[in-house]
Amino acid sequence: RNSPKWTTMTNNSSPQVNRRGEKRNVNIEESVGTPPSKLYKFRKILSEAHLDIENLRKLSWSGVPEELRATIWKILLGYLPTNQDRQESTLDRKRQEYIDCVPQYFDSPEDDYERGVYKQIHKDVIRPDPTCPLLKNETVQKSLERILYVWAIRHPATGYVQGINDLLTPFFIVFLKSFIGPNFEQLDTIPLQTLEIVEADCYWCVSKLLDGIQDNYTFAQPGIQRMVFRLKELLYRIDGPLAKHIDQLDPQFFLQFSFRWMNCLLMREIPLKLIIRMWDTYLSESDGFSTFHVYVCVSLLQKWSDKMRRMDYLDLFQFLQHLPTLDWTVEDVEMLLSEAYVMKSLYHDCPSHLKSVG
C-alpha cells in the first residue's frame, strides 16, 4: 500500500474544543437553526452526572443541534458512556486503542486476502459522494481507508463489503466538523492530532452501528434480503397499485432497486447533509437502521407513486436510480421521517393486516 503512515498536516485555525469534540464557550445565541429553548434542553441533559438516555432519544428524534451532534451521536450509539465521570477516560482509552491498531494491522505484512480487501476499499473510497468536496481530499481518503481496512481485518467473519464505506462517511463529516468548524469543506490541511481523534471515534462508532446490522453484511446479506421483502410487503399494504405495477414490470424489480437502498441506507439517493439529519432520527430509534429505514423507503416511494405508475420498466429504473432529491431541504426530509413514523405506528405491530406476497 502507498502512504500507510499517518499523514501529518498543520492547521492553526481549529476552534477550541473539549475532549468530546464540542466547541468551548458557544453561546445559545450562536446556535444556527436550533431554537434556544431546545438547545437549552440538550445542554441540560448533557450536564447531568448520569445522562437520561431515553429523554435524549426523544429530544434527538426531531433533530440535533449541529454543535452537539458529535457528542450526542456517540452517546446514542453507546460509544460514549452516559456516566459523565467515565466519559473522558473512555475516550482516551478507546482512541489510544485504535491508534495502536493502525501499525499492527494497516502496516502488517500482506497476503492475497489482505491485498484484495485493501484494493476494494481503495476503489470505493476514491469514488466519493459528489455533494461533499472534502471527500476528494487525498488525506481524508487515506484516513477512510485506514478505518475501513482495520475494521475489516479485525472482523474476519464479516470482512469488508461494499456499502460499509457509505456508512462511515456521515461519522467522518460530523466528527471532523465538530473540531474544525463550519468551514471544514474548504479545508486543505488537517492537524495530525485531530485526524487521529476523528479516525478513532469513527472506527468505534461505525463498529457500534455495524454490530446492530451485522447480518446485512455477512454471506448472502440475509438482513438486506429481509428488508427488501419487508419493503415489498409493506408497499402492497400501503400502496397496492404501485406495488402491483412494479411487480408486473418485473418480479425481480424490487430487489434490483431496493437492494442499494438497504445496503447503502439511501446515501446515494439523498444529499449527504440531509442524510446526517436523518441519522439524528435513526440513532434515536431502537431499530432505526433496519426496521424504521424500511418505512422511510416506503414513504420515499409514495412521494412519486402517481408518476411511477405511468412509467415503463426503463423509465422507472432510471427514475429510481436518480431520484429528484438534489434540491431537497431539511423540511423535506423531516416530512419523510414523519410519514415513516406514522406508517410504522400503524403497521409495525399488525403483521396480520399485511398482504402476503410471493
Side-chain angles (χ1 to χ4, degrees):
R1 287 184 295 277
N2 295 324
S3 304
K5 304 294 184 183
W6 296 96
T7 305
T8 304
M9 309 188 76
T10 58
N11 185 318
N12 297 319
S13 62
S14 300
Q16 289 293 310
V17 296
N18 61 21
R19 191 178 264 100
R20 295 194 304 197
E22 301 165 2
K23 296 177 194 175
R24 295 193 180 107
N25 302 321
V26 175
N27 296 322
I28 286 180
E29 290 78 8
E30 293 178 34
S31 177
V32 178
T34 304
S37 59
K38 185 174 182 180
L39 185 63
Y40 173 79
K41 290 177 182 178
F42 275 108
R43 291 200 179 280
K44 187 174 184 296
I45 292 175
L46 293 177
S47 68
E48 296 169 351
H50 295 274
L51 276 62
D52 188 327
I53 189 69
E54 288 306 315
N55 277 346
L56 185 61
R57 285 196 182 103
K58 290 175 184 177
L59 193 59
S60 299
W61 200 98
S62 58
V64 174
E66 188 172 282
E67 64 269 33
L68 299 177
R69 183 172 277 131
T71 295
I72 290 171
W73 279 20
K74 292 167 194 173
I75 294 170
L76 293 175
L77 276 163
Y79 169 50
L80 195 60
T82 55
N83 186 331
Q84 288 272 15
D85 291 340
R86 294 178 49 220
Q87 288 185 349
E88 288 195 4
S89 61
T90 298
L91 287 177
D92 288 343
R93 175 171 52 83
K94 300 300 283 186
R95 287 166 176 171
Q96 191 59 50
E97 184 179 339
Y98 172 78
I99 291 169
D100 291 343
C101 279
V102 172
Q104 180 182 352
Y105 291 97
F106 196 78
D107 303 342
S108 62
E110 299 174 350
D111 56 24
D112 289 342
Y113 169 75
E114 290 180 347
R115 279 194 293 271
V117 169
Y118 179 78
K119 184 177 180 181
Q120 185 60 61
I121 289 172
H122 179 71
K123 284 182 179 179
D124 292 343
V125 166
I126 62 174
R127 292 192 296 248
D129 185 320
T131 66
C132 185
L134 182 69
L135 297 178
K136 298 177 182 179
N137 182 292
E138 184 178 355
T139 299
V140 170
Q141 291 180 350
K142 285 296 178 184
S143 184
L144 297 175
E145 287 177 4
R146 277 193 293 270
I147 299 166
L148 292 168
Y149 183 82
V150 171
W151 187 90
I153 300 303
R154 294 191 75 186
H155 296 79
T158 303
Y160 176 74
V161 178
Q162 283 182 289
I164 293 178
N165 58 303
D166 290 299
L167 308 188
L168 176 59
T169 304
F171 290 122
F172 195 91
I173 297 302
V174 168
F175 296 166
L176 181 63
K177 192 173 184 178
S178 73
F179 281 94
I180 302 301
N183 297 321
F184 76 106
E185 289 188 351
Q186 285 76 46
L187 198 67
D188 293 323
T189 59
I190 305 173
L192 173 61
Q193 184 180 15
T194 297
L195 191 65
E196 290 178 337
I197 290 173
V198 169
E199 270 195 38
D201 289 349
C202 286
Y203 172 84
W204 293 113
C205 285
V206 82
S207 297
K208 288 282 189 181
L209 173 57
L210 289 169
D211 283 347
I213 54 173
Q214 188 170 353
D215 61 352
N216 285 15
Y217 303 101
T218 53
F219 178 73
Q221 299 181 266
I224 289 177
Q225 300 285 350
R226 287 194 299 270
M227 292 169 74
V228 170
F229 179 81
R230 180 64 170 164
L231 173 65
K232 182 176 181 178
E233 189 180 44
L234 281 166
L235 195 64
Y236 260 97
R237 172 58 179 161
I238 297 168
D239 191 345
L242 177 59
K244 290 175 185 176
H245 176 66
I246 293 173
D247 250 350
Q248 287 170 355
L249 290 175
D250 185 342
Q252 296 300 312
F253 203 113
F254 272 97
L255 183 63
Q256 291 169 3
F257 79 85
S258 63
F259 187 91
R260 187 174 83 172
W261 289 19
M262 307 307 173
N263 192 50
C264 303
L265 295 171
L266 295 174
M267 286 282 297
R268 302 180 190 181
E269 282 68 40
I270 295 175
L272 180 56
K273 64 180 180 180
L274 300 181
I275 287 289
I276 288 171
R277 165 60 191 92
M278 289 172 66
W279 279 30
D280 292 340
T281 298
Y282 279 25
L283 289 165
S284 302
E285 290 271 340
S286 59
D287 52 4
F289 293 90
S290 52
T291 302
F292 187 74
H293 178 70
V294 175
Y295 287 92
V296 171
C297 292
V298 175
S299 181
L300 197 59
L301 286 170
Q302 279 204 292
K303 282 195 173 296
W304 299 287
S305 178
D306 291 343
K307 182 177 182 178
M308 288 191 291
R309 290 203 305 270
R310 297 192 296 269
M311 293 181 181
D312 61 18
Y313 178 91
L314 184 59
D315 288 342
L316 183 56
F317 185 81
Q318 290 293 329
F319 180 80
L320 292 171
Q321 287 288 309
H322 306 283
L323 292 176
T325 60
L326 284 179
D327 296 328
W328 270 24
T329 65
V330 170
E331 288 72 23
D332 292 312
V333 160
E334 289 182 341
M335 179 60 70
L336 186 75
L337 295 168
S338 297
E339 291 167 350
Y341 178 82
V342 171
M343 282 189 283
K344 185 187 175 191
S345 300
L346 291 172
Y347 298 108
H348 183 59
D349 294 324
C350 305
S352 61
H353 293 177
L354 294 172
K355 175 181 171 63
S356 176
V357 294

